[in-house]
Amino acid sequence: MRSASERANSTMKEDIKILVKPRILNASRANILAQIAAIVLLLTRGLSFVVRVTKLFRKLHKTNDPNLKEKLKPPSIPMSIQNLIQLE
């Protein structure tokens, strides 16, 4: 039941190890380090998602499993959101 910022901070500290013992000389460098850590975290999460989906697609093409087809099927978008997307 942790907040998103707590999960992000623990991931940046323990998994990526960018915030373990940072040398920070002033507040502007602390801001830069925090922004770099956030960028690395987002890239890590995004690329791991891409790798996970790519593995599922490869497995689907090899086995043609109907359970994988259902898992890889995109979610349905409500009409109200579709109308908003089409307006832009």
Side-chain angles (χ1 to χ4, degrees), residues 2-15:
R2 297 185 305 169
S3 66
S5 62
E6 288 177 349
R7 285 193 307 273
N9 287 338
S10 69
T11 301
M12 286 185 271
K13 187 174 183 181
E14 295 169 6
D15 297 343

Side-chain angles (χ1 to χ4, degrees), residues 1-37:
M1 299 298 284
R2 297 185 305 169
S3 66
S5 62
E6 288 177 349
R7 285 193 307 273
N9 287 338
S10 69
T11 301
M12 286 185 271
K13 187 174 183 181
E14 295 169 6
D15 297 343
I16 302 173
K17 302 207 185 308
I18 199 166
L19 297 178
V20 174
K21 281 189 171 182
R23 285 189 63 194
I24 299 172
L25 302 176
N26 56 22
S28 66
R29 290 191 181 186
N31 289 336
I32 292 170
L33 180 66
Q35 290 173 359
I36 290 173

Side-chain angles (χ1 to χ4, degrees), residues 4 7 16 20 22 33 43-44 54-55 61 70 77 85 87:
R7 285 193 307 273
I16 302 173
V20 174
L33 180 66
L43 283 173
T44 303
T54 303
K55 283 181 170 181
H61 287 302
E70 189 63 33
I77 302 172
I85 293 171
L87 288 176

Side-chain angles (χ1 to χ4, degrees), residues 30-55:
N31 289 336
I32 292 170
L33 180 66
Q35 290 173 359
I36 290 173
I39 291 169
V40 169
L41 176 66
L42 291 174
L43 283 173
T44 303
R45 288 182 178 174
L47 291 175
S48 67
F49 171 76
V50 169
V51 168
R52 202 168 52 242
V53 171
T54 303
K55 283 181 170 181

